């Protein structure tokens, strides 16, 4: 099984809704609209040629600069027999981050979705028990979002510009950049 | 009087709610289960997890790549070296580092030793939970011997932080080889003795057979991996389907069970210990003479301390690595290794910065522990305890 074959088979079945495809370190990434995720997982699972019937991983990601599509849900599915993995992504606006649950297809998704909800605040519609899992129930924020820095946000001694990492090397141009 | 009789009748319909944990001595870790029991029969269970959550994924977003290894130690702490190596391999995959065969073989030896110690803990604890403490005490001596080998290689025992991105921190010392050879010579006989204590022991078999079974279909649906999935009859092993670290060079078998119950899980782990010994034996025999103990990647692998003091180039590289200046490409990479209790995956998103943009650990026991209520339903309470210990749920990995 090759990535080209997988992509072709998917495109044959889903005419629209596929926003972007790329290959990263040999793994096919398919970004789709949020409504297409569940039908696609179903198709990948049930189609005889594909047989991606194992949900390896489900997690969230936050891109604050990606306006209108800040939060992402990432699914890794696996065809064990042929050892082929692909990654499905869907991005959601932060104001209304909701997507359909995959619990009915994969029991494994239950806790992984709860974890994603806990850390990113993504709502999985139809989830049987969507509540926090690792953090305490009293918590009011979703801590893996980028607006919650791990350390004191006013600390200036660890900024990227000191390490030649900013785009124009500001640290070199303006070494006394005020704190 | 008639009122009293009614009360009894009503009571007979009721179930009892039992809080098993969070600090129950029989659960080996911080697990809470709220059980509904009818007499001794478990009717339903609800788990509470997260008691030792330490926000590893958040921590990792603020650390350089080499500083994340100690975090991985604390996932499945019964086999930390496997987690460490998995992380190194993930970064190596991202940075495109190729290792010499010799390093990969050294890593294989360490990973298989870790697997043996992981399985020994799990299986001997199944013994403890069935009332057979003897095997446990003897096998913990063997685990101690494995830890002494780790100590000789990396200086620590449980949370090992072993290996580095691009190789091993140092070569095996002669003493490490001695200890390894002694272990390889003495362990198999003692292990078979332990095996004889339990495997065909009538009491042990009666206790474990049929306790907490799961079908292959349900196990796959629940995302089972590792020995628990193999006990249910699916021959999935990351070492075989997606070989890493030269596992394709070694000859070994994948044991599978049929019923997925506690006894099968026990048997699968017992056989895996033998297979691990086989792999270590082959790795020792085939160990290449050439190749050193690390790849030639100055951007990732720290130079010798003496060179740092005397050589400008080494000093620069040292500084670059410590300050997290080593260039890593932007990209997304998923790498998985066969951990002690299943497929341990690292999903790493890099934006080219000093730290991961996002790091997600696919922790096998977090995923398969969800199946626990289904597995213990309508079984005995004592079987529930056994099922948990035989599933090898490690609190550190569960809660990350």
């Amino acid at each position: 099984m090759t990535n080209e074959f997988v992509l072709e088979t998917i495109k044959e079945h889903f005419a629209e809704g596929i926003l972007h495809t790329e290959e990263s370190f040999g793994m096919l990434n398919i970004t789709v609209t949020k409504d297409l995720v569940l039908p696609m997982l179903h198709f990948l699972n049930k189609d005889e040629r594909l047989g991606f019937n194992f949900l390896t991983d489900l997690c969230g990601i936050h891109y604050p600069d990606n306006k209108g599509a800040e939060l992402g849900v990432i699914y890794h599915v696996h065809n064990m027999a042929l050892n082929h993995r692909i990654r499905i992504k869907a991005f959601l606006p932060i104001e209304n981050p909701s997507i359909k649950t995959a619990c009915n297809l994969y029991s494994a998704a239950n806790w992984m979705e709860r974890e994603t909800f806990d850390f990113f605040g993504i709502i999985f519609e139809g989830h049987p028990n969507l509540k926090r899992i690792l953090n305490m129930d009293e918590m009011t924020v979703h801590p893996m979002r980028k607006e919650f820095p791990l350390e004191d946000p006013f600390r200036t001694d660890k900024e990227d510009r000191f390490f030649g990492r900013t785009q124009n090397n500001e640290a070199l141009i303006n070494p006394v950049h005020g704190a | 009087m008639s009122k009293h009789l009614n009360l009894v009748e009503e009571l007979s319909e009721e179930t009892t709610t039992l809080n098993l944990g969070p600090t129950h001595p029989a659960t080996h870790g911080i697990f809470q289960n709220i059980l509904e029991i009818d007499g001794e029969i478990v009717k339903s269970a609800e788990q509470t997890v997260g008691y030792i959550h330490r926000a590893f994924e958040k921590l990792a977003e603020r650390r350089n790549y080499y500083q994340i290894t100690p975090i991985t130690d604390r996932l499945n702490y019964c086999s930390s070296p496997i987690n460490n190596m998995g992380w190194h391999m993930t970064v190596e995959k991202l940075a495109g580092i190729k290792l010499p065969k010799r390093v990969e073989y050294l890593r294989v030896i360490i990973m298989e030793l870790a697997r043996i110690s992981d399985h020994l803990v799990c299986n001997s604890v199944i013994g403890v939970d069935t009332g057979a403490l003897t095997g446990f005490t003897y096998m913990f001596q063997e685990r101690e011997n494995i830890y002494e080998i780790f100590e000789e290689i990396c200086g620590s025992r449980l949370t090992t932080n072993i290996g580095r991105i691009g190789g091993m921190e140092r070569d095996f010392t002669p003493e490490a080889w001695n200890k390894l050879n002694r272990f390889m010579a003495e362990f198999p006989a003692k292990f078979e003795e332990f095996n004889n204590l339990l495997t065909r022991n009538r009491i042990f078999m009666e206790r474990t057979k049929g306790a907490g079974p799961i079908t292959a279909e349900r196990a796959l649906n629940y995302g089972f991996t590792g020995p628990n999935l193999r006990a249910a009859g699916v021959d999935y092993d990351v070492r075989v389907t997606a070989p890493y670290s030269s596992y394709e060079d070694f000859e070994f078998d994948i044991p599978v069970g049929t019923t997925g119950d506690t006894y099968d899980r026990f048997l699968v782990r017992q056989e895996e210990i033998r297979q691990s010994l086989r792999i270590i034996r082959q790795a020792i025999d085939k160990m290449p003479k050439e190749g050193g103990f690390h790849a030639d990647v100055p951007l990732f692998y720290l130079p010798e301390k003496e060179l740092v003091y005397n050589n400008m180039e080494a000093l620069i590289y040292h500084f670059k690595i410590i300050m997290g200046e080593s260039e890593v490409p932007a990209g997304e990479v998923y790498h998985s290794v066969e951990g002690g209790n299943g497929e341990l995956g690292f999903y790493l998103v890099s934006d080219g910065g000093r730290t991961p943009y996002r790091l997600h650990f696919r922790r096998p026991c977090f995923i398969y522990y969800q199946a626990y209520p289904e597995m213990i339903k309508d079984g005995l309470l004592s079987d529930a305890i056994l099922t948990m210990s035989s599933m090898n749920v490690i609190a550190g990995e569960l809660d990350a």
Side-chain angles (χ1 to χ4, degrees), chain A residues 146-165:
Chain A
K146 292 286 178 187
E147 66 255 36
F148 304 109
L150 189 64
E151 291 176 77
D152 179 1
F154 301 107
R155 237 179 119 155
T156 51
D157 58 333
K158 279 192 164 182
E159 280 178 14
D160 272 0
R161 63 196 172 88
F162 292 123
F163 303 93
R165 286 278 178 198

Side-chain angles (χ1 to χ4, degrees), chain B residues 80-142:
Chain B
S80 313
I82 302 183
N83 313 345
N84 298 156
M85 301 301 180
W87 170 244
H88 298 324
M89 281 182 252
T90 311
V91 182
E92 283 155 11
K93 196 168 172 182
L94 180 71
I97 299 170
K98 280 287 291 169
L99 294 186
K101 274 274 170 195
R102 186 168 186 277
V103 186
E104 300 200 317
Y105 281 24
L106 291 176
R107 284 185 172 184
V108 164
I109 292 178
I110 292 164
M111 283 190 282
E112 291 308 317
L113 283 173
R115 192 180 321 282
I116 291 174
S117 81
D118 187 284
H119 286 357
L120 276 183
V121 173
C122 184
N123 273 358
S124 57
V125 165
I126 298 175
V128 173
D129 287 344
T130 53
L133 191 70
T134 320
F136 172 79
T137 54
Y138 282 93
M139 282 306 106
F140 260 54
Q141 182 56 45
E142 294 310 309

Side-chain angles (χ1 to χ4, degrees), chain B residues 67-280:
Chain B
Q67 290 175 321
I68 293 169
T69 322
I71 291 181
T72 63
D73 282 337
R74 283 140 182 93
L75 289 171
N76 180 352
Y77 41 71
C78 286
S79 50
S80 313
I82 302 183
N83 313 345
N84 298 156
M85 301 301 180
W87 170 244
H88 298 324
M89 281 182 252
T90 311
V91 182
E92 283 155 11
K93 196 168 172 182
L94 180 71
I97 299 170
K98 280 287 291 169
L99 294 186
K101 274 274 170 195
R102 186 168 186 277
V103 186
E104 300 200 317
Y105 281 24
L106 291 176
R107 284 185 172 184
V108 164
I109 292 178
I110 292 164
M111 283 190 282
E112 291 308 317
L113 283 173
R115 192 180 321 282
I116 291 174
S117 81
D118 187 284
H119 286 357
L120 276 183
V121 173
C122 184
N123 273 358
S124 57
V125 165
I126 298 175
V128 173
D129 287 344
T130 53
L133 191 70
T134 320
F136 172 79
T137 54
Y138 282 93
M139 282 306 106
F140 260 54
Q141 182 56 45
E142 294 310 309
R143 176 173 172 261
E144 170 71 23
N145 293 342
I146 294 175
Y147 279 1
E148 279 186 15
I149 299 172
F150 292 160
E151 200 176 359
E152 201 54 45
I153 297 164
C154 73
S156 48
R157 298 152 54 84
L158 189 77
T159 49
T160 47
N161 191 18
I162 203 168
R164 296 289 178 264
I165 296 163
M168 299 292 301
E169 65 268 52
R170 62 175 73 84
D171 207 347
F172 284 21
T173 58
E175 185 56 27
W177 284 114
N178 282 343
K179 282 186 169 161
L180 178 63
N181 288 331
R182 202 178 316 139
F183 175 80
M184 290 302 289
E186 291 172 1
F187 174 71
K190 289 182 187 160
F191 173 69
E192 290 309 325
E193 224 171 293
F194 168 70
N195 188 50
N196 292 340
L197 267 179
L198 294 177
T199 303
R200 302 299 295 170
N201 181 326
R202 180 44 62 188
I203 304 169
F204 181 77
M205 286 170 73
E206 296 280 348
R207 279 291 271 111
T208 52
K209 275 195 159 180
I214 191 159
T215 61
E217 200 184 17
R218 288 304 292 152
L220 282 171
N221 199 267
Y222 263 121
F224 273 49
T225 43
N228 295 341
L229 179 64
R230 292 192 282 274
V234 182
D235 61 342
Y236 174 68
D237 188 318
V238 188
R239 292 175 293 173
V240 177
T241 47
Y244 52 89
S245 201
S246 295
Y247 267 109
E248 67 276 14
D249 294 3
F250 306 110
E251 185 88 18
F252 60 101
D253 300 324
I254 303 297
V256 287
T258 48
T259 57
D261 60 3
T262 300
Y263 189 60
D264 273 12
R265 284 192 284 272
F266 173 84
L267 288 184
V268 164
R269 288 205 180 86
Q270 290 291 88
E271 186 55 35
E272 275 185 23
I273 290 175
R274 296 195 189 93
Q275 298 302 327
S276 290
L277 287 170
R278 242 176 105 189
I279 297 172
I280 297 175

Side-chain angles (χ1 to χ4, degrees), chain A residues 56 60 62 89 107 146 163, chain B residues 221 325 332 357-358 362:
Chain A
T56 302
H62 184 204
K89 295 183 188 177
S107 305
K146 292 286 178 187
F163 303 93
Chain B
N221 199 267
E325 258 287 272
E332 290 171 46
Y357 185 78
R358 169 97 170 98
R362 185 218 187 261

